Amino acid sequence: MSQVQVLQIETVIQRPVAEVWMYWTEPEHIKAWNAASDDWHTTEATNDVQAGGHFSSHMAAKDGSMGFDFSGVYDDVVVNEKLAYTLDDGRHVTVLFEANGDETNVVETFEAESANPPEMQQAGWQAILDRFKEYAEQQ
């Protein structure tokens, strides 16, 4: 059995943690920022933010050529601090929100999947996090 590779990305957002949490978890906000590039978007999002709660985002190419669901179940939720979840494919993800005055450090740790190189996955997840930062800071 091969070892699961764990990747980590992070950013600092110039907003208080309660605002960052809201932008990260509310479906209308998720649809506004959840894409790795300008030619993709999230067309639907649901989010039941509690342990055992289900979440789903439908991400699609704007030209309609492809799309997929990013979904799973929350394992642990600590409001304004932590989201831990298991994706439908069994991979685990943890997102930590670290308050520091009027800014928030977001650290996301995730298990890599085997279909794409880890560097590509890390770059894609970081691109989404960078879009989130830009969105949150413009609100």
Side-chain angles (χ1 to χ4, degrees):
M1 190 167 122
S2 62
Q3 180 76 15
V4 174
Q5 184 167 2
V6 177
L7 304 174
Q8 181 173 299
I9 57 173
E10 64 183 291
T11 194
V12 176
I13 299 169
Q14 303 301 314
R15 285 283 182 264
V17 70
E19 291 181 23
V20 171
W21 181 269
M22 176 184 67
Y23 299 141
W24 189 273
T25 59
E26 292 185 2
E28 66 270 19
H29 292 295
I30 294 168
K31 289 193 293 185
W33 61 262
N34 191 30
S37 63
D38 289 338
D39 54 345
W40 280 75
H41 60 165
T42 293
T43 59
E44 295 178 46
T46 60
N47 201 12
D48 182 10
V49 188
Q50 61 179 334
H54 184 264
F55 65 89
S56 179
S57 297
H58 184 74
M59 301 173 84
K62 288 183 178 176
D63 67 6
S65 62
M66 59 189 327
F68 64 93
D69 289 329
F70 183 85
S71 57
V73 175
Y74 288 107
D75 302 311
D76 189 21
V77 175
V78 181
V79 175
N80 294 340
E81 293 181 21
K82 177 183 179 183
L83 292 170
Y85 56 88
T86 302
L87 294 169
D88 288 344
D89 66 7
R91 294 183 295 137
H92 296 96
V93 180
T94 301
V95 186
L96 299 176
F97 300 83
E98 301 168 351
N100 184 14
D102 285 339
E103 65 181 33
T104 303
N105 191 36
V106 178
V107 180
E108 198 168 1
T109 306
F110 62 99
E111 294 177 345
E113 41 92 352
S114 58
N116 295 293
E119 299 78 17
M120 178 188 291
Q121 295 175 62
Q122 186 156 8
W125 284 57
Q126 184 69 54
I128 294 169
L129 185 57
D130 291 346
R131 286 176 70 94
F132 174 73
K133 171 185 170 70
E134 181 180 356
Y135 174 79
E137 290 180 349
Q138 290 176 353
Q139 296 308 299

